Amino acid sequence: MSASQTIARWRYKYVPDHVVGEILSKNWIDNAVPFLALAVVLAVFGNLIPSFFGAANLGDTSRQLGEFIFIVCAMMIVMVAGGIDLSVGSNFALGNFVALFLMNVAQWSPWAVMPAVLLVCAGVGLLNGVLIGYLRLRAFLTTLVTLIIVRAVVDMLLLKHAVDIASNMPESAVWDFIGAGSALGLPLSFLVAMVFAACAHLFLSRTRPGWHIMAIGGSRRSAYNVGIPVRRTICLTYVGSGLLCGLAGLMYAARLGSAGSDTGAGLEIMALTAAVVGGNSLGGGRGSVAKALMGAVVVVLITNGLVRVGFQSGAGSLALGLILLSAIAIDVRWLKNKHKLLAKSYVSPAYLELPPAPSTEAGSASPYAVNDRLRDVALIGFAQVEGPEDVIFDAQGNLYTGTRHGDIVRFFGPDHERMEVFAHVGGHPLGLAFDRAGNLLVCIAGMGLYSVSPERRIERLTDETNRTPWSIIDDSRLKLADDLDVAPDGRIFFSEATIRYEMHNWAYDALESRGNGRIICYDPATRKTRTVLRNLVFPNGVCMAHDGESFFFAETWACRINRYWFAGPKAGRVERVIDDLPGYPDNINRASDGTFWLALVGMRTPSMDLSLRMPGFRKRMARRVSPQELIFPNINTGCVIKFDAQGRVLESLWDLGGENHPMITSMREHQGHLYLGGLLNNRIGRLKLADADPTWTGQQSYWGSAA
């Protein structure tokens, strides 16, 4: 191996280039901006102001922050739904006036004042919601008009009642506690804001209404098409915004006890700046309470810091305006160009050197010698199924397969001519297996591991596993659950081919040929999921061995078969069984004579083998060449091989030229026949096996038992 090859092998095997792409794809840059802004603000004002971190300054700032957080959250929840609320400042001023008027002039009890203020401000939000949500008026113009109208109403009321409010100061311990009280060593307003923030976070991220808001912000048309009540949800976000403005105005009134024409002036700009600086998108669909909190802290520290440094009153507004302009520019430009940067950096090839491919020359003594034994197989469901990746039989001899439309299709035995849609599970069903109770277990790409009962009840078993220790990427969610098998004790072992790509672009994982896959175990007894093997090169077929203590699994792009012991004296050990396959292995299943069938989804080519040793070349190719012209594995030639537990290849079955089954991803032996499936095929093949046991059923190949 040359020095350059050695360097390339080390560079692309041990340096995690793919982390850059993951960071971009997970919006880490979006999330890092508010932290960076906060760090800069703290560093600057911490050096300029001696007592910036003093207890007195922090206490006063936290009281202001508690009120401001409600305003920013009011703006955030509307923005997430794809709108904007410019009336938050005037609505805040209205809530302040109503609270002071009812307390000082009308002499109401604080317990009556609080719901009244919330009701009045929610009414303003309801007005906005009806106009924008139901009448479909523009949010910007509508809330701008509402700002002007509500501000005018507040000014007129102040002219009439300002003196009465100032001359009648109520004596109420409850009112004083709301304005100046503390609990647990924290100002009450700040403590209430934190409790609200925690609840709001759970609401947006863990409840169905919160998901509806996010979905509407992402695409209103799509949200409407899936049945989400778009108009009502938008209306309710503005009502919620009004409630939060009323709560902030109530606490402000209790703290200062005064009302002026400048109350809440410019607050909409501060709130909008805080929401955008925190990372909430103006386009909707992206945002969180945590981002709103970060933005609120940054804006409050900037405005207070500029005042304490000695700048004139207009400096704060100027600074916020410049910050808002910059944040909007970054948000818009980043969203527009993010996919371009992601496309250039996400694909991260690794160095992979395969052993020399064995000979497949026709007429040779090689067990891989090409032939036409699959050329004349009988066809089942021709042009009736699309993408039958795996096939399986139940106890009655009925044949099941999945389709790319998300259906599980059943062909009735014994001739398998009549078919029906057994269940619609969504996604693309891949690996299939039956448990002892007769439930059909399905690996569904993008969805996880599911179960379909004989009564056709669909149940999700798992869609996540334990996160990789010390990983900066959260890889707990399942992206491409592929194949599975059931152990004698009922545990389900299944492969996740890649944690970096979805079903629609799985072939890019071949371009990387990196250890992106894993083997996962789901235990129905405890309903727990854990990862048992990591860093596998596109792990695919999983098949229990006859000993009931181990299983075979394929690593597709590495062209090898491994054996993993999950029980017994060798528990936890992985052994290589075959390491020099002529093609890319897919599903593995048991044969009637105690051996194993293996599908080769495609054949190795010299150009692909060479490129696997040139990760830099593949990186440049991913950046500069269109997807239709990339070097990919040859998946147009189907092949099935038979091997024993010691890794000896016994025979091979080819469809040279791919005239009948151009892509074979699975096979299942049943009553003297071999049934073939293919991810890109529109048929299922049936081949009569001359030396197979005609009494042996596919059901006997399940659960790791030889009988």
Side-chain angles (χ1 to χ4, degrees):
M1 183 182 296
S2 66
S4 60
Q5 286 178 317
T6 303
I7 294 173
R9 181 173 185 173
W10 181 89
R11 169 71 176 85
Y12 287 93
K13 184 174 182 180
Y14 297 106
V15 179
D17 263 5
H18 61 289
V19 171
V20 176
E22 291 289 351
I23 288 175
L24 293 176
S25 68
K26 301 296 183 182
N27 296 323
W28 279 30
I29 291 181
D30 304 25
N31 298 335
V33 169
F35 286 98
L36 180 62
L38 180 59
V40 171
V41 169
L42 291 175
V44 171
F45 290 113
N47 290 327
L48 294 177
I49 304 173
S51 59
F52 186 75
F53 296 106
N57 182 58
L58 292 178
D60 184 57
T61 301
S62 61
R63 288 193 186 277
Q64 299 177 44
L65 184 61
E67 299 158 7
F68 186 57
I69 284 174
F70 290 111
I71 302 297
V72 178
C73 287
M75 182 69 75
M76 178 274 299
I77 195 171
V78 172
M79 287 175 56
V80 167
I84 192 172
D85 190 356
L86 298 179
S87 66
V88 291
S90 58
N91 205 5
F92 169 82
L94 178 63
N96 174 68
F97 171 82
V98 172
L100 292 175
F101 178 82
L102 295 180
M103 280 294 301
N104 298 7
V105 179
Q107 300 293 312
W108 282 24
S109 165
W111 303 110
V113 170
M114 288 185 277
V117 172
L118 296 178
L119 186 62
V120 170
C121 293
V124 176
L126 179 61
L127 175 62
N128 285 330
V130 171
L131 294 175
I132 298 169
Y134 286 98
L135 300 184
R136 301 185 182 182
L137 301 184
R138 297 287 184 180
F140 184 90
L141 295 177
T142 302
T143 55
L144 179 62
V145 171
T146 309
L147 179 155
I148 297 172
I149 294 175
V150 174
R151 176 64 64 181
V153 171
V154 171
D155 288 342
M156 290 188 293
L157 292 174
L158 283 173
L159 288 175
K160 185 175 182 180
H161 300 287
V163 176
D164 296 333
I165 291 174
S167 59
N168 295 287
M169 301 300 293
E171 294 184 3
S172 171
V174 174
W175 190 247
D176 293 339
F177 180 72
I178 294 174
S182 299
L184 302 176
L186 297 173
L188 180 65
S189 60
F190 183 76
L191 184 62
V192 173
M194 291 298 99
V195 173
F196 164 78
C199 296
H201 170 74
L202 294 176
F203 171 78
L204 280 178
S205 62
R206 295 293 186 273
T207 67
R208 192 177 300 274
W211 299 337
H212 287 178
I213 293 174
M214 291 285 190
I216 291 171
S219 174
R220 291 191 181 185
R221 181 177 297 275
S222 298
Y224 175 81
N225 289 339
V226 299
I228 296 176
V230 174
R231 297 184 182 183
R232 184 180 67 192
T233 303
I234 292 175
C235 179
L236 291 177
T237 60
Y238 284 94
V239 173
S241 175
L243 283 170
L244 294 176
C245 291
L247 185 57
L250 180 72
M251 292 187 171
Y252 181 84
R255 180 167 65 89
L256 295 182
S258 63
S261 59
D262 60 343
T263 300
L267 193 58
E268 58 279 347
I269 301 301
M270 292 179 62
L272 183 59
T273 303
V276 176
V277 168
N280 299 285
S281 175
L282 283 169
R286 290 191 302 115
S288 68
V289 176
K291 293 179 179 181
L293 292 180
M294 293 293 295
V297 172
V298 170
V299 168
V300 168
L301 291 179
I302 289 176
T303 54
N304 288 355
L306 290 175
V307 172
R308 295 196 61 185
V309 168
F311 283 93
Q312 297 180 353
S313 59
S317 300
L318 176 62
L320 291 181
L322 294 175
I323 293 172
L324 178 60
L325 181 62
S326 302
I328 292 175
I330 293 173
D331 180 61
V332 173
R333 298 301 297 178
W334 169 247
L335 283 178
K336 184 177 180 180
N337 297 292
K338 176 182 176 180
H339 70 284
K340 297 180 182 179
L341 182 60
L342 184 60
K344 291 183 177 181
S345 61
Y346 192 81
V347 178
S348 178
Y351 183 93
L352 180 63
E353 184 173 6
L354 299 179
S359 172
T360 59
E361 184 179 354
S364 67
S366 170
Y368 300 109
V370 296
N371 53 67
D372 288 324
R373 294 177 62 182
L374 297 181
R375 176 71 57 89
D376 299 321
V377 300
L379 301 183
I380 298 174
F382 179 70
Q384 295 178 293
V385 293
E386 295 186 41
E389 200 273 346
D390 196 8
V391 293
I392 197 169
F393 291 87
D394 62 15
Q396 291 73 41
N398 299 315
L399 173 64
Y400 295 78
T401 189
T403 73
R404 69 179 184 88
H405 302 294
D407 296 328
I408 301 293
V409 177
R410 175 166 62 182
F411 290 88
F412 293 95
D415 53 10
H416 305 118
E417 294 183 357
R418 186 167 58 92
M419 62 167 284
E420 68 168 0
V421 175
F422 177 68
H424 179 76
V425 294
H428 193 145
L430 299 177
L432 304 173
F434 276 103
D435 63 15
R436 292 185 183 275
N439 299 309
L440 180 61
L441 308 175
V442 190
C443 283
I444 306 178
M447 296 172 60
L449 179 64
Y450 279 68
S451 171
V452 184
S453 70
E455 295 76 25
R456 312 191 190 199
R457 182 174 59 87
I458 301 171
E459 178 186 3
R460 182 186 63 193
L461 300 181
T462 182
D463 59 2
E464 61 183 4
T465 183
N466 55 304
R467 180 173 177 172
T468 302
W470 313 111
S471 173
I472 65 172
I473 306 298
D474 184 3
D475 57 0
S476 58
R477 301 289 292 184
L478 302 181
K479 281 193 173 183
L480 192 55
D482 200 335
D483 194 33
L484 75 162
D485 207 353
V486 183
D489 60 4
R491 286 183 294 172
I492 304 168
F493 290 89
F494 64 98
S495 59
E496 184 181 21
T498 175
I499 62 173
R500 286 173 46 77
Y501 294 95
E502 306 284 352
M503 185 63 189
H504 68 279
N505 59 355
W506 61 268
Y508 275 95
D509 196 84
L511 204 60
E512 287 197 359
S513 293
R514 180 184 292 275
N516 296 328
R518 55 191 173 182
I519 300 292
I520 300 169
C521 175
Y522 171 76
D523 190 347
T526 61
R527 302 186 70 85
K528 291 184 178 180
T529 309
R530 64 182 181 89
T531 302
V532 296
L533 291 174
R534 290 188 171 88
N535 303 319
L536 303 176
V537 185
F538 208 85
N540 208 321
V542 176
C543 180
M544 288 292 152
H546 295 286
D547 58 11
E549 297 180 346
S550 63
F551 60 80
F552 298 94
F553 68 91
E555 287 186 88
T556 299
W557 311 136
C559 300
R560 61 193 178 209
I561 304 297
N562 304 306
R563 187 173 186 175
Y564 172 74
W565 273 265
F566 58 87
K570 293 185 177 181
R573 183 183 302 179
V574 178
E575 292 184 1
R576 193 66 45 80
V577 179
I578 307 176
D579 62 357
D580 60 347
L581 288 167
Y584 303 98
D586 204 300
N587 285 6
I588 308 171
N589 282 309
R590 295 148 66 92
S592 58
D593 59 1
T595 58
F596 301 89
W597 294 107
L598 169 66
L600 297 185
V601 69
M603 294 298 113
R604 291 167 58 178
T605 61
S607 60
M608 186 65 189
D609 285 4
L610 177 62
S611 70
L612 291 178
R613 302 193 298 271
M614 303 170 63
F617 165 75
R618 304 202 315 275
K619 182 77 171 179
R620 293 189 296 273
M621 181 171 57
R623 290 180 175 180
R624 302 174 184 177
V625 179
S626 67
Q628 293 78 17
E629 298 178 354
L630 295 174
I631 295 179
F632 279 133
N634 171 23
I635 56 176
N636 295 318
T637 302
C639 178
V640 175
I641 68 173
K642 179 186 281 190
F643 69 96
D644 62 17
Q646 288 71 43
R648 294 189 297 266
V649 177
L650 307 176
E651 63 174 315
S652 58
L653 294 76
W654 292 75
D655 180 12
L656 190 60
E659 296 183 10
N660 204 334
H661 280 273
M663 182 187 194
I664 299 177
T665 55
S666 67
M667 68 277 106
R668 190 84 61 169
E669 184 177 337
H670 177 74
Q671 294 183 341
H673 292 80
L674 193 64
Y675 292 78
L676 309 173
L679 180 64
L680 301 183
N681 293 344
N682 64 347
R683 69 205 78 177
I684 297 172
R686 178 170 56 198
L687 174 69
K688 183 173 179 57
L689 300 173
D691 55 351
D693 182 359
T695 65
W696 193 85
T697 65
Q699 191 79 2
Q700 291 173 275
S701 69
Y702 313 149
W703 316 312
S705 57

